Amino acid sequence: DHHALDAALTDLVARHESLRTVFPDPSGKPHQHLLQVDEAFAGLPAAQHVDEGELDGCLNEFACQGFDLATEVPLRVALFRLADDEHVLSVVVHHIAADGESVAPLFADLVAAYETRCRGEAPYWTALPVQYADYTLWQHELLGDEEDPDSLAARQLHYWSETLQGLPEELPLPYDRPRPAVADHRGDTVAFRLPPLLHRELAALSRRTDTSLFMTAQAALAALLTRLGAGTDIPLGSPVAGRNDDVLDDLVGFFVNTLVLRIDTSGDPTFHELLERVRETDLAAYAHQDLPFERLVEVVNPVRSLARHPLFQVLLTVQGAPAPGADLPDLRIGLETLAPGVAKFDLAFGLVERTDAAGGHGGIDGLLEYASELFNPETAEALAARFVRVLEALVSDPDAPIGRIDILTDDEHRRIVEDWNRTGHELPEAAGTLQRCFADQAARTPSAVALRQGDDVLTYRELDLRSSCLARRLAEAGVGSEDVVGVLLDRSPALVVAFLAVLKAGGAYLPLDAADPEARRQRMLAETGARVVLTDQPGSDRSGVSDEVVLLAPGTDETPAADQTLFHAQGHAQNAAYVIYTSGSTGEPKGVAVPHSAVVHLALDRRWQGETHRRVLFHSKHSFDAATYEIWTPLLSGGEVVVAPPTSLGADELEHLTADGRVTGLWLTAGLFNLIARERPGSLAGVRELWVGGDVVDPHAVRRVQEACPGISIVDGYGPTENTTFTTSYRIPDADADEIRSVPIGRPMDNTRVYVLDAALRPVPVGVAGELYAAGAGLARG
């Protein structure tokens, strides 16, 4: 009955002043202004005819229209007609005029008014004892003057200022995307359900621990967020009804207040212990619940941002069983859920209890509202499922520490630990030491070019012979198994000869950089026990070595006899091949002993197969572990090392070297790559595969180089020195830079496994921050 419904809505607006209040602000300070009924409500518009498939879109569009609160009342209604006997009434109320608890009196009054209007009568309900304006005045009187230390406002301000001191500005949640500068508040929802049995168990646990169902759910959510990497200081938002007087129960208005409940999960407490903390926190907060949240934000004054909600980003609500709907003669009424695609917070977990036919625990309906600009739907679904999983685990064993809760499903654990680490690659049976692998390669391709610098070349046979000559001299100087030999040479073919000679003598080479302070070189020699140093200037101060060290010139300009016997000492794959010192970014530089097996596994990784790394430019400092790739990857596969001159390289020199040397494989630091991408992106034309790393790779720089050098493949290579140059790699697709927000480090190299673990060395779910752990063939010895 359209006429009766129109009259009932008018009655509703007349009964509740909050629905006909506007907030003009002529002087910049809004105030309440009450309109007469005929000014506030112009009547129910004619019903709009819609198809079933159009309904949701129409409802969402209607619900998401904004209000001009200075001139418009905070109530809007529309009627949608699906059939002659089926209609949908949309009632949209601005939050300034109503809260969740207002739905029940609003619905009840509307139904009662409609019923009487259908009979041609006016509603005969009891007059409301107060209106919302009375409540606002009472609230001001209750709180008192903040300047009065004895006032309720002053006491509660002091409590919250102390309680929220040092609150985290933002929880590190498992976001799928970086937080934008300004939140767009787009959202979506995920529904989930707790079965009746779990509902009963949660209620029983709450009774035993003298807590509420809300507290139990709150403790579970805090435990989950901690396990998802959010830390141990977890602020959750929670609304409280604010209807502290019975006279407010039947009133439509905004009474709800928001509390910030700060939960301490440190020390891996049991769930019982965590519940005690939650109970103590919540009871204290409830005792100080009168201070409006808006005023609290002003006083605490957190770092404000348009990107996130202040003081908390996760909300939790728990509601009791809703009152049943009301049917009228000739009219069946049902309430529909509306998902308008809005999210006020990053995450909002809502639980609604249900009762069964006997009035018992009928299960709990859950709804997770999430910001869709931060989370993917599958991530939100996983969060909801993990919340249920934690609740199940905690009721089954409330005395277990929260850190013991398994938040991974069996399928997730298998995928993360096993499936993503299926990197096994069997090497040739002959693979052992570097000198053995090189000797086998030299026997297969003796005439192929091994080293090139400008017009000077060394074939595999020549490199084999010259390194054997020097290896004999080293052996005569006493170099034996795993003895460390310092190598103080500029980048040149002689440097590669020296490295190989040290290995053939059974030793491990220690790259020394002439640019380093003498004290650093002295320390490195002393720590490694190196008694022999290979240098081309043994009489100069440049060596920086002590009197006890024997200095040998490499002698690589000598041309050995073609029939000279090759030399190499026997060794084991686990012997140290070289010692390299880390940068010392976390303290004093540390020497890392890298075994032969680690270098062999790197050089024979399947990523280098084919022609893309046939000719590799050796331009890194030999004291930098990128030189391991630049030298040994081509030499163990019959490729060619293109040796750059010892001077530092700019974009011009790099372009000439790659072009003249027909370089196919190249490594660049992220800093140099970004510079080239900005100034000379086309200078890398001809390079087939470019590896970049050492820092964050800029996707926009990648895009510029891809556009300037069609056909180039760019790979993000990541790895610490301790895992032999590269641990993981990611081949960056040819995509618009706007589609790639950040470049990942990719998947593990051959025979390498990587895990992201939490502080207790447990695998974390996808999207959760943790520490990266590596295991496998590339590991060095400290």
Side-chain angles (χ1 to χ4, degrees), residues 632-653:
W632 296 111
T633 294
L635 285 185
L636 296 195
S637 59
E640 183 178 317
V641 180
V642 179
V643 184
T647 55
S648 59
L649 303 180
D652 289 340
E653 295 87 353

Side-chain angles (χ1 to χ4, degrees), residues 8 32 159 174 190 224 230 270 299 305 312 317 323 348 390 436 508 642 711 733 738:
Q32 298 180 63
Y159 167 81
V190 171
L224 173 63
T270 67
V299 174
S305 170
F312 67 88
T317 61
V390 170
R436 178 71 267 168
V642 179
D738 292 336

Side-chain angles (χ1 to χ4, degrees), residues 46 80 139 173 183 230 248 286 350 357 384 413 472 482 485 556 570-571 611 616 676 707:
F80 299 94
Q139 187 185 41
L173 300 172
L248 303 177
Y286 296 153
H413 191 277
R472 286 191 182 88
E482 291 198 296
V485 176
T556 54
Q570 296 297 320
E611 297 297 315
V616 177
I676 291 173
E707 290 175 342

Side-chain angles (χ1 to χ4, degrees), residues 199-222:
H199 187 185
R200 288 195 295 272
E201 291 174 334
L202 288 169
L205 178 61
S206 299
R207 285 194 301 272
R208 292 197 307 270
T209 55
D210 197 21
T211 58
S212 64
L213 180 63
F214 171 82
M215 293 176 183
T216 304
Q218 178 190 357
L221 182 55

